Amino acid sequence: MSLHQIAVSHSFLLSSRSAYTLNPLLFSKRNRFRISLSHSRFTSIKHRSFAVAVSDNGIFTSPELAKSFDFTSEERIYNWWLSQGYFRPKFDWESDPFVISMPPPNVTGSLHMGHAMFVTLEDIMVRYHRMRGRPTLWLPGTDHAGIATQLVVERMLASEGIKRVELGRDEFEKRVWEWKEKYGGTITNQIKRLGASCDWTRECFTLDEQLSRAVIEAFIRLHEKGLIYQGSYMVNWSPKLQTAVSDLEVEYSEEPGTLYYIKYRVAGGSRSDFLTIATTRPETLFGDVAIAVHPQDERYSKYVGKMAIVPMTYGRHVPIISDKYVDKDFGTGVLKISPGHDHNDYVLARKLGLPILNVMNKDGTLNEVAGLYCGLDRFEARKKLWSDLEETDLAVKMEPHSLRVPRSQRGGEVIEPLVSKQWFVTMQPLAEKALLAVEKGELTIIPERFEKIYNHWLTNIKDWCISRQLWWGHRIPVWYIVGNDCEEEYIVARSAEEALMRARDKYGKDVEVYQDPDVLDTWFSSALWPFSTLGWPDELAEDFKRFYPTTMLETGHDILFFWVARMVMMGIEFTGTVPFSYVYLHGLIRDSQGRKMSKTLGNVIDPLDTIKEFGTDALRFTLALGTSGQDLNLSTERLTANKAFTNKLWNAGKFLLQVLPNRDNVSGWQNIEACKFNTEGYLLRLPLPECWVVSKLHMLIDAVTESYNKFFFGDVGREIYDFFWGDFADWYIEASKARIYHSGDDSVALVAQTVLLYVFENILKLLHPFMPFVTEELWQALPNRREALIISSWPQTALPRSTDLVKRFENLQALTRAIRNARAEYSVEPAKRVTASIVGSEEVIQYISEEKEVLALLSKLDLDNIHFADSPPEDAKQSVHLIASEGLEAYLPLADMVDISAEVQRLTKRLSKMQTEYEGLKARLNSPKFIEKAPKDVVRGVQEKAAEAEEKINLTKNRLALLKSTVMLLQ
């Protein structure tokens, strides 16, 4: 088989298990390449298949046996890792642990690209630090997702004709637990499919007994400190779900709506005395408690201090007041104050001491305050009210208006601002400590720019509504006295038995208690996640002592406040310590056009479908190349390119297995394993290409390790990719073929084999955190693997390198590129070997000539007709002159490269066509009509084309002149 048939034209990345040192016997001063090795000790390399070094357990597949990496083997590899216990922290490693708590996905969820992003980034961190020898714990779990789970089960029951209220609370909770046991593991299994090396033996669920105990303890401790209270305040209310919802569960969308203009007559005035207000929600006028205008609005100054009559309320009067809060330029400049149904109005009413009037029931219908409209749905009431206003001549007009509509993330319905009695946490004292943690450097936020957002939120923090009117979740540990209408008296306890005992001690033996029906906001239990999962409140728990505080919290930047900041506050409050040292925030995954993925747009990319088509490694590598905090545009083109990268790695492994000794060649492997590269003396004894690639590898190890430590994962991926593709595959693998296939010297081949293996092993290690499956498969295929790649040691840093020899090889590369470009320019047949004269200084010629075989192979030169000299050859004028770098030139005889006569004819025809096109462009530019009437950018475009055409014509003329002069000289 020819060299071209077996050439591997792919990029290759390699990584090494342990440092190897080069055998000094291979490099005598007289001949660094040659050494007498008997055939029995070392077998000459020929193209052949070897028995692969893969365990005979059906788990791994060798490149010798498969054309490309088989994605279906990923699950086998994953299950093997799991069965070997590789995901569990090793306590015999003497190093500080590296700990990440997985952001718990909803138990109802299924995998989407947001999950794929956090799994990829966290697994990269975990695999890297595991290989660095740190006891590594990635603790997984799922969230009970109160609203989402209750909705799913209610829909399931509805399909059976059953309503939740008909079942009762206990039976409903039983059904939810049954659903969770049956379907709740879907998201976990899908996360495993991404290669997540979590310690699944420690998997948690927010309603587990231990975590529930932590939640109750946290509530009680906060209450005892006076930081939890009950009160009636404005919240986001979901009429359909019949519960308060958090800000995070409200999504705002720009929607077409209507602005309604309504007359409010001034009490005691004439028919012309009225104020016109503009509102998007006329049905809330029944809750108006004042009419406000700006103090400097002269249009209405005469009415300030008087009373206005609220339409359709049988003459209810409200004061007309002035306040700078009013926007003079919006609508009519008159604002109706409905503090029971608008967040801003609520704040203003509390500042001014105005009453709060609620006109809405919790199901979204109007209550008795609305008079004749009582019982109507809020949107039905809006239509009827406007119709009635028109009949009474109080409707002025209505006009289209774009609205920012708050909708429930779960149900999609419009959220209602509503004053409701809820449980709250006082946040300011907790926030002060969390702000100080960042200020003192106890917590580092990556990227740093999000510190401003973190500080802004915590500086302007509001009290947290933690109660939800649901049946699924952590029941609030508060009990009331049966028969006592005063809910201000209540008992906070860790259990019903404790509550009853305390109630009887205070109120008598016959007293009975009932528990608050509400549950806690899901984010309350999530805020305890970094320490509740490790055994808190038992601070003597083994995991808590070993792994708390954790190292890293990685999540999306969109929940920096809703989750991350709350974890910081709760961690400091309950443990006295910031729960993690670093917060790494990733961006959102968008489509190729930068749009947010949504079912409406039809641009959602399913990670599982992506894995089937491109493989997990390609998906992970694509996601990891982004920049922290920045949104990432995901495209099929990127995935396709990185799938090709996976295949190129595979082909690199295939090539390596073809050229390495047989597994049973003990002496051959002893020679390879005796070589080491960790001292400068051995490195400098290597031939130039080998010294270059090993030096570049050692530079790469340092750069990549530093980038890993700084969490610059995009840089890591690009650095490895570029080295593998640009250095190892394109250059060294090709150069090694000169040693292996053409040297005829076993000792020379041994050097190349050793370097190939050393570099490839190291690349696999560096790349493993990004692409765990294909790298482990390739690692297992290599002979003499003593341990799995996942637990192998990270490459040593600060290894020797020679910058001088790197520059020398770069000169050789520059020369090769110049010759390749000339061949392409003159359309030289790929198989044709050409003559070359290489001219340079004595020093340059010496090291270039030593690599004559490599130069010939890479540049496709005639090995027997490469001449080295310190001055140009006699036929320099009939040659293509190439300047590779300062002090290094090449001359390629024209007659050796092309059929000169045929080339003259071809270029003459081409020149004629080019001149015709050029003259057409110049004619347009010489036309005054074109210059005057055509757009400037069009004129500029024609000018650029003309300049480009002129340059090509001159180049072609020069080449024709050279060819013609060569013909004359040859004649």
Side-chain angles (χ1 to χ4, degrees):
M1 180 175 287
S2 71
L3 177 61
H4 299 293
Q5 288 172 304
I6 64 170
V8 182
S9 60
H10 302 287
S11 314
F12 308 109
L13 280 152
L14 312 178
S15 138
S16 131
R17 275 183 52 249
S18 57
Y20 288 108
T21 305
L22 203 59
N23 188 334
L25 295 177
L26 299 178
F27 305 106
S28 67
K29 286 186 177 180
R30 295 183 62 185
N31 191 333
R32 293 189 300 171
F33 287 77
R34 301 186 181 280
I35 183 170
S36 178
L37 294 175
S38 67
H39 186 75
S40 62
R41 290 185 61 206
F42 188 77
T43 305
S44 297
I45 302 300
K46 298 175 183 176
H47 180 65
R48 61 194 186 278
S49 293
F50 298 117
V52 296
V54 179
S55 306
D56 298 325
N57 53 18
I59 295 166
F60 300 99
T61 304
S62 169
E64 285 287 304
L65 305 176
K67 183 178 180 181
S68 60
F69 178 57
D70 183 4
F71 305 146
T72 62
S73 67
E74 292 175 349
E75 291 184 81
R76 294 198 305 275
I77 296 171
Y78 186 87
N79 291 331
W80 180 73
W81 284 329
L82 197 59
S83 69
Q84 300 300 306
Y86 292 146
F87 299 164
R88 303 191 66 180
K90 306 299 181 186
F91 295 111
D92 55 339
W93 293 347
E94 295 182 2
S95 180
D96 292 335
F98 181 85
V99 186
I100 294 183
S101 299
M102 176 185 287
N106 289 355
V107 71
T108 58
S110 60
L111 199 67
H112 57 65
M113 279 299 172
H115 297 125
M117 174 66 93
F118 88 68
V119 169
T120 295
L121 293 172
E122 291 174 28
D123 197 44
I124 285 173
M125 298 181 202
V126 166
R127 288 178 184 268
Y128 168 68
H129 286 284
R130 184 184 291 121
M131 294 174 76
R132 292 302 302 266
R134 297 179 68 175
T136 304
L137 173 61
W138 185 12
L139 200 150
T142 48
D143 191 288
H144 65 277
I147 293 177
T149 306
Q150 183 159 317
L151 268 176
V152 168
V153 177
E154 284 197 60
R155 287 170 184 159
M156 180 187 71
L157 292 173
S159 67
E160 302 172 16
I162 303 172
K163 293 183 178 180
R164 168 169 59 99
V165 292
E166 295 172 350
L167 282 179
R169 185 166 194 147
D170 292 342
E171 182 60 25
F172 177 76
E173 286 188 56
K174 180 182 175 183
R175 294 289 188 95
V176 180
W177 276 108
E178 289 173 354
W179 180 92
K180 188 264 178 187
E181 294 305 316
K182 187 174 182 180
Y183 301 106
T186 299
I187 186 69
T188 295
N189 292 328
Q190 292 173 337
I191 285 174
K192 290 179 179 179
R193 191 67 188 83
L194 285 165
S197 57
C198 309
D199 184 355
W200 294 106
T201 65
R202 287 178 165 87
E203 184 180 5
C204 294
F205 177 54
T206 47
L207 286 180
D208 286 345
E209 183 179 349
Q210 155 58 27
L211 276 70
S212 296
R213 185 165 70 96
V215 168
I216 292 171
E217 187 66 27
F219 185 97
I220 290 173
R221 292 191 188 185
L222 289 172
H223 186 268
E224 287 174 347
K225 290 187 69 172
L227 295 175
I228 283 184
Y229 64 93
Q230 191 179 40
S232 294
Y233 298 94
M234 178 158 284
V235 297
N236 300 310
W237 186 261
S238 171
K240 182 178 179 181
L241 299 171
Q242 292 280 289
T243 182
V245 296
S246 76
D247 291 342
L248 187 62
E249 291 157 337
V250 178
E251 295 182 339
Y252 291 87
S253 59
E254 292 292 331
E255 301 178 17
T258 304
L259 196 58
Y260 300 88
Y261 291 80
I262 304 171
K263 290 181 183 179
Y264 279 60
R265 300 193 185 282
V266 178
S270 65
R271 292 185 63 84
S272 61
D273 289 320
F274 61 85
L275 300 174
T276 300
I277 62 95
T279 178
T280 58
R281 303 173 68 213
E283 69 278 5
T284 62
L285 65 77
F286 300 107
D288 290 352
V289 297
I291 298 297
V293 297
H294 195 277
Q296 297 176 355
D297 195 335
E298 296 179 357
R299 293 174 296 174
Y300 308 116
S301 58
K302 63 181 178 180
Y303 296 125
V304 175
K306 296 184 178 182
M307 304 293 284
I309 303 171
V310 181
M312 313 307 291
T313 62
Y314 304 103
R316 186 165 66 84
H317 289 29
V318 295
I320 301 172
I321 64 174
S322 64
D323 195 277
K324 292 181 180 179
Y325 170 77
V326 179
D327 182 356
K328 291 191 297 182
D329 300 321
F330 176 75
T332 62
V334 183
L335 180 69
K336 59 188 284 296
I337 309 297
S338 310
H341 301 279
D342 183 274
H343 286 284
N344 294 325
D345 290 2
Y346 178 78
V347 173
L348 183 61
R350 294 194 67 184
K351 182 185 81 169
L352 300 176
L354 297 172
I356 310 295
L357 192 58
N358 177 31
V359 304
M360 200 167 294
N361 298 312
K362 290 186 176 181
D363 63 355
T365 60
L366 300 193
N367 62 24
E368 63 279 359
V369 175
L372 294 175
Y373 303 89
C374 177
L376 290 179
D377 174 78
R378 50 187 169 158
F379 300 116
E380 292 177 9
R382 181 180 301 175
K383 293 178 182 177
K384 178 172 172 47
L385 174 61
W386 183 251
S387 176
D388 292 345
L389 287 169
E390 287 180 318
E391 288 185 9
T392 55
D393 198 31
L394 294 176
V396 178
K397 64 176 180 177
M398 62 179 187
E399 61 185 22
H401 181 71
S402 180
L403 303 177
R404 189 166 178 262
V405 180
R407 290 191 177 273
S408 166
Q409 186 187 59
R410 301 301 173 189
E413 64 173 332
V414 176
I415 290 296
E416 191 67 38
L418 202 66
V419 175
S420 175
K421 192 171 187 179
Q422 304 286 345
W423 289 95
F424 294 86
V425 177
T426 303
M427 300 302 290
Q428 186 175 352
L430 302 176
E432 289 172 355
K433 295 177 183 177
L435 283 166
L436 193 60
V438 171
E439 184 182 326
K440 292 169 64 177
E442 296 171 354
L443 175 65
T444 301
I445 298 175
I446 304 168
E448 186 179 355
R449 70 177 184 277
F450 283 101
E451 280 187 18
K452 292 182 180 179
I453 298 173
Y454 176 91
N455 292 337
H456 174 76
W457 276 335
L458 291 183
T459 302
N460 299 280
I461 199 166
K462 298 177 182 178
D463 288 356
W464 176 14
C465 174
I466 58 171
S467 49
R468 298 291 181 265
Q469 290 64 54
L470 302 170
W471 283 359
W472 174 246
H474 293 102
R475 192 90 170 260
I476 290 179
V478 169
W479 281 261
Y480 304 100
I481 310 303
V482 174
N484 187 345
D485 293 334
C486 181
E487 290 191 352
E488 301 303 320
E489 296 183 25
Y490 56 81
I491 295 169
V492 177
R494 290 172 176 80
S495 66
E497 293 75 18
E498 180 187 337
L500 182 59
M501 181 181 69
R502 291 174 59 185
R504 288 178 176 176
D505 287 344
K506 185 174 182 179
Y507 298 101
K509 293 183 179 180
D510 295 332
V511 75
E512 295 295 332
V513 297
Y514 65 95
Q515 191 172 0
D516 193 307
D518 290 354
V519 300
L520 287 163
D521 178 13
T522 300
W523 294 101
F524 188 88
S525 55
S526 298
L528 315 178
W529 187 252
F531 47 95
S532 64
T533 52
L534 295 174
W536 187 89
D538 179 7
E539 297 190 4
L540 296 178
E542 198 62 35
D543 277 0
F544 187 82
K545 290 192 296 182
R546 279 177 169 167
F547 298 120
Y548 189 82
T550 65
T551 313
M552 167 65 68
L553 189 283
E554 191 284 332
T555 191
H557 65 68
D558 52 331
I559 55 175
L560 173 60
F561 174 70
F562 297 103
W563 187 42
V564 178
R566 285 171 178 169
M567 282 189 287
V568 175
M569 288 186 278
M570 294 300 186
I572 296 172
E573 173 65 22
F574 294 123
T575 71
T577 307
V578 178
F580 27 74
S581 301
Y582 300 93
V583 173
Y584 183 100
L585 301 169
H586 66 252
L588 303 178
I589 308 294
R590 298 183 178 275
D591 70 7
S592 58
Q593 301 176 44
R595 300 175 302 175
K596 188 174 181 179
M597 291 187 185
S598 71
K599 293 180 180 178
T600 305
L601 293 174
N603 62 347
V604 174
I605 302 176
D606 188 320
L608 296 177
D609 291 341
T610 305
I611 287 171
K612 290 177 185 175
E613 184 175 356
F614 300 98
T616 303
D617 290 320
L619 173 60
R620 287 171 57 120
F621 194 78
T622 304
L623 294 176
L625 288 182
T627 304
S628 64
Q630 297 289 339
D631 291 353
L632 176 71
N633 294 356
L634 186 64
S635 66
T636 302
E637 290 74 19
R638 288 188 178 188
L639 291 165
T640 301
N642 290 323
K643 179 182 178 181
F645 180 46
T646 307
N647 290 333
K648 291 178 187 301
L649 281 168
W650 191 255
N651 286 328
K654 187 186 293 289
F655 172 78
L656 216 67
L657 290 173
Q658 289 171 348
V659 301
L660 289 175
N662 286 312
R663 291 177 62 187
D664 55 2
N665 186 345
V666 177
S667 60
W669 280 100
Q670 285 176 343
N671 282 323
I672 287 178
E673 294 185 354
C675 297
K676 299 183 182 297
F677 297 93
N678 58 355
T679 66
E680 186 175 9
Y682 289 119
L683 178 74
L684 295 178
R685 290 175 182 269
L686 286 170
L688 182 59
E690 282 71 22
C691 183
W692 166 77
V693 76
V694 171
S695 293
K696 291 293 292 277
L697 172 68
H698 291 172
M699 294 174 187
L700 175 73
I701 292 171
D702 288 356
V704 162
T705 301
E706 184 178 1
S707 293
Y708 267 117
N709 290 336
K710 291 180 177 179
F711 311 109
F712 294 168
F713 302 121
D715 290 348
V716 171
R718 285 184 287 273
E719 287 161 354
I720 300 173
Y721 186 95
D722 290 345
F723 173 79
F724 174 77
W725 196 294
D727 294 334
F728 185 64
D730 284 357
W731 289 98
Y732 185 68
I733 282 185
E734 296 304 317
S736 72
K737 293 172 184 176
R739 317 285 198 218
I740 294 169
Y741 297 115
H742 299 290
S743 70
D745 190 323
D746 290 343
S747 62
V748 172
L750 174 61
V751 176
Q753 285 177 306
T754 305
V755 171
L756 282 168
L757 181 61
Y758 175 69
V759 180
F760 193 60
E761 284 181 328
N762 275 288
I763 289 175
L764 292 180
K765 282 196 167 189
L766 297 176
L767 193 58
H768 177 72
F770 279 70
M771 306 177 79
F773 292 109
V774 69
T775 54
E776 184 74 76
E777 187 98 291
L778 288 167
W779 178 270
Q780 295 291 338
L782 297 174
N784 304 327
R785 299 305 94 187
R786 299 178 181 90
E787 60 187 1
L789 178 58
I790 187 176
I791 58 166
S792 63
S793 58
W794 190 252
Q796 184 181 343
T797 56
L799 291 168
R801 72 288 311 270
S802 172
T803 53
D804 289 341
L805 293 181
V806 165
K807 290 178 181 177
R808 287 185 176 185
F809 189 79
E810 287 172 352
N811 261 354
L812 179 63
Q813 288 178 303
L815 179 60
T816 302
R817 289 192 188 97
I819 295 171
R820 286 174 174 175
N821 290 340
R823 291 177 62 99
E825 189 176 352
Y826 283 90
S827 304
V828 179
E829 290 293 327
K832 184 177 178 60
R833 299 288 186 236
V834 300
T835 300
S837 294
I838 311 301
V839 177
S841 65
E842 182 179 352
E843 179 190 6
V844 172
I845 290 299
Q846 181 179 349
Y847 66 74
I848 294 292
S849 63
E850 286 180 359
E851 299 304 332
K852 181 179 180 180
E853 293 84 359
V854 172
L855 177 64
L857 178 66
L858 298 180
S859 304
K860 296 183 179 179
L861 300 178
D862 183 350
L863 183 61
D864 296 327
N865 283 293
I866 303 177
H867 308 288
F868 297 92
D870 58 3
S871 60
E874 293 181 0
D875 60 350
K877 292 184 178 181
Q878 295 85 49
S879 300
V880 177
H881 179 207
L882 307 174
I883 300 176
S885 61
E886 187 176 351
L888 181 60
E889 303 173 18
Y891 291 85
L892 309 180
L894 265 174
D896 203 28
M897 294 176 69
V898 295
D899 180 332
I900 297 178
S901 298
E903 184 69 3
V904 167
Q905 292 180 9
R906 186 183 72 83
L907 288 178
T908 301
K909 290 180 181 179
R910 181 181 174 189
L911 179 61
S912 176
K913 182 179 179 182
M914 291 167 64
Q915 286 177 326
T916 301
E917 292 175 354
Y918 175 70
E919 288 167 2
L921 292 170
K922 291 298 291 181
R924 293 181 70 185
L925 293 173
N926 291 331
S927 168
K929 186 180 295 184
F930 172 74
I931 297 297
E932 292 172 5
K933 294 186 177 181
K936 290 183 179 180
D937 57 337
V938 173
V939 173
R940 192 183 306 113
V942 173
Q943 289 172 336
E944 290 173 356
K945 286 181 180 179
E948 184 180 351
E950 186 177 16
E951 184 179 356
K952 288 180 178 179
I953 287 170
N954 290 332
L955 288 172
T956 305
K957 285 180 177 179
N958 291 338
R959 183 179 294 179
L960 268 172
L962 174 62
L963 291 170
K964 289 177 180 178
S965 66
T966 302
V967 171
M968 291 175 63
L969 288 169
L970 290 174
Q971 291 174 347

